[in-house]
Amino acid sequence: MASGARESSRPAWVRAASLTAGFGAALLARVLVGGVSVARSAPAGWLFAGVLLVLSLAAGACRSSRLPRAWIGLPGALVLCIPLLLGRAAGDLGHRPAGNFLPWALTVAVVAAAEEMFLRGALYDACADWCGQTLAIIVGAVLFGLLHVPLYGWHVFALDVAVGGWLGALRQASGGWGAAGIAHVTADLAAWWLK
Amino acid sequence: MSGRARGGLLIALFVLLAAWLLAPAGVPLYDGVGFPDEPYRWVAAPAGTGPTPAPTEGSSTARMRHGTMVDGLAIASSEQAPQVQVFLPIGSLTGPAGSTTVTARVTPVAGDSASPGMIFDGNVYSLSARTDAPGTPSAGLSTAIARVGGYVQFRSPLKPGVQPEMVYRATKSDPWRVLTVFRSGQDTYGSNDPSGLGDYALAFGVAAGSPPASGIAPPAHRGGASTGPLYWLAGGIVVLLALILVGARAKGSTQK
């Protein structure tokens, strides 16, 4: 029984390590293509999303979206928007971006969904199979924080790890990555009006 | 939903609240691609450029104690993205001992009195500061302190290409002086060398013998490394990893 358990955990370990390495390669590609303004580079974002999607599909993430319970992503998004909503309530009007919403929204939605399919789908499944759901949430949250560092700097790492933890908790509660995907995409798009 | 899942959500929510309280101000959008910029706003648009809305100024107020600023000051104009941003660290602004607050302001002004051969890359911005002491006297800027963590950043109206210089003068009668400048974004340039209250601007043609060709936008330039080999590298890594993953799944299936 013990050797059988080790045999079945070896593929999970390989999956988790391979996915993490692939994530690193995707992030490196995004930074190199995006250059000094990687956060504003749509081509770099699309490349990043494409790599994550390929890795996720190869690992079988699409079978764990659990659409019927994905609705909890909507209240999950509302939680993520709390700081912006409080700012608006306090009278901070911000300013509406001046560009074209649809191309921006499409890029943001694809990038955010690809990140969730990967971090809370493929990688979460591999890590959960290997070492349990709690560590799967933690690993995903840390990688989510790290992916934002080249875009915005180290000062965002702590908050983005916390956001990644919230998205991981949504994944655990819903049983699939769909809820986290809905929360992430919705929160990102809502910032167009709330920021 | 299981009790464990509910517990996980609660814990994650507490961690998130703690991060919001402890994270520094101005944490940007959680993810995604940055917002597209609005067109550059000119005080006096160059020939061939249509009229634009008036550029905005930025201001911020900090506390003072014993004549020294005790907070950092972050100032930004209101355009998307801001055309000017200034950060002055604690202690960099000074005033009369009775001052309790100091207000710093960056105001767009038309470029004038350029040196021969020099062309401004955008508006000139005037940095000023006043305390609340009776008679509203001007504050002073300690450049030694301002250079430790302080910076000035401008958005260029031109497409990324030839890097402009950043110039400074204390008053309109002083000559422009070149500051150290670095590229801080796709179309933004900054300097960690705030040299005093006065006028700042981006400009071309400041160094001897290097006037730009006609002041027209330089050719568009994509930031980052050459992308061809990079796509092949990324693609090769992805294919290799996908094969490993598929193989690992197949191995796991046969064992079951």
Side-chain angles (χ1 to χ4, degrees):
Chain A
M1 177 68 77
S3 64
R6 281 198 296 275
E7 286 295 313
S8 64
S9 69
R10 206 187 309 142
W13 182 87
V14 170
R15 278 163 42 215
S18 303
L19 287 167
T20 303
F23 180 84
L27 185 57
L28 177 64
R30 184 178 192 181
V31 170
L32 289 176
V33 169
V36 296
S37 194
V38 57
R40 292 183 175 274
S41 172
W46 279 93
L47 172 65
F48 182 65
V51 173
L52 294 187
L53 280 171
V54 169
L55 291 173
S56 302
L57 291 172
C62 60
R63 56 184 167 78
S64 65
S65 60
R66 295 290 176 93
L67 288 176
R69 279 196 271 175
W71 65 268
I72 70 170
L74 290 174
L78 190 62
V79 168
L80 293 176
C81 293
I82 286 175
L84 295 176
L85 291 168
L86 289 177
R88 284 300 181 111
D92 175 15
L93 297 179
H95 49 267
R96 185 71 53 83
N100 196 339
F101 172 74
L102 285 179
W104 174 83
L106 180 62
T107 302
V108 166
V110 168
V111 173
E115 288 175 7
E116 293 311 315
M117 190 179 188
F118 180 86
L119 291 172
R120 260 58 75 170
L123 184 64
Y124 184 99
D125 289 342
C127 291
D129 288 347
W130 177 35
C131 52
Q133 293 195 60
T134 302
L135 279 178
I137 293 174
I138 292 171
V139 169
V142 170
L143 290 183
F144 187 78
L146 285 174
L147 95 85
H148 292 89
V149 169
L151 277 66
Y152 304 116
W154 278 103
H155 66 285
V156 307
F157 178 70
L159 178 59
D160 281 323
V161 169
V163 171
W166 174 250
L167 294 170
L170 288 175
R171 161 65 176 89
Q172 184 188 42
S174 65
W177 62 268
I182 288 174
H184 191 169
V185 172
T186 303
D188 280 357
L189 295 180
W192 180 275
W193 290 276
L194 297 179
K195 191 177 180 197
Chain B
M1 189 184 302
S2 67
R4 185 177 179 182
R6 276 195 292 269
L9 282 169
L10 274 175
I11 292 171
L13 185 59
F14 278 121
V15 171
L16 192 54
L17 288 171
W20 281 331
L21 290 172
L22 299 173
V27 176
L29 183 67
Y30 294 133
D31 194 8
V33 182
F35 295 118
D37 293 346
E38 64 173 283
Y40 194 85
R41 299 189 187 190
W42 292 92
V43 173
T49 305
T52 67
T56 61
E57 66 173 31
S59 68
S60 189
T61 300
R63 297 173 299 165
M64 294 192 78
R65 200 170 295 142
H66 306 304
T68 304
M69 187 170 73
V70 296
D71 299 318
L73 262 184
I75 313 163
S77 59
S78 303
E79 299 88 6
Q80 174 67 43
Q83 293 183 180
V84 60
Q85 296 183 71
V86 177
F87 179 75
L88 300 174
I90 294 171
S92 55
L93 287 175
T94 58
S99 309
T100 59
T101 63
V102 59
T103 298
R105 195 178 304 275
V106 279
T107 307
V109 297
D112 64 349
S113 306
S115 302
M118 190 169 99
I119 297 176
F120 289 113
D121 181 21
N123 301 317
V124 174
Y125 282 86
S126 178
L127 175 63
S128 61
R130 292 201 173 276
T131 70
D132 63 343
T136 59
S138 294
L141 180 70
S142 166
T143 54
I145 297 174
R147 286 170 179 152
V148 182
Y151 68 80
V152 178
Q153 178 176 287
F154 290 108
R155 177 156 71 97
S156 169
L158 299 178
K159 291 192 173 111
V162 177
Q163 177 164 309
E165 304 282 355
M166 188 177 295
V167 294
Y168 162 79
R169 67 182 181 190
T171 67
K172 289 190 188 306
S173 57
D174 291 315
W176 289 103
R177 186 159 66 84
V178 177
L179 306 178
T180 55
V181 67
F182 57 89
R183 188 176 173 194
S184 56
Q186 190 167 13
D187 57 358
T188 56
Y189 301 90
S191 175
N192 295 122
D193 190 14
S195 297
L197 301 177
D199 296 340
Y200 291 81
L202 295 177
F204 293 105
V206 181
S210 62
S214 73
I216 296 172
H221 163 73
R222 277 189 306 166
S226 170
T227 55
L230 193 60
Y231 284 119
W232 284 108
L233 176 65
I237 292 173
V238 169
V239 169
L240 181 62
L241 288 171
L243 288 172
I244 294 174
L245 289 167
V246 170
R249 282 182 61 201
K251 185 176 182 182
S253 298
T254 54
Q255 284 174 342
K256 286 176 187 172

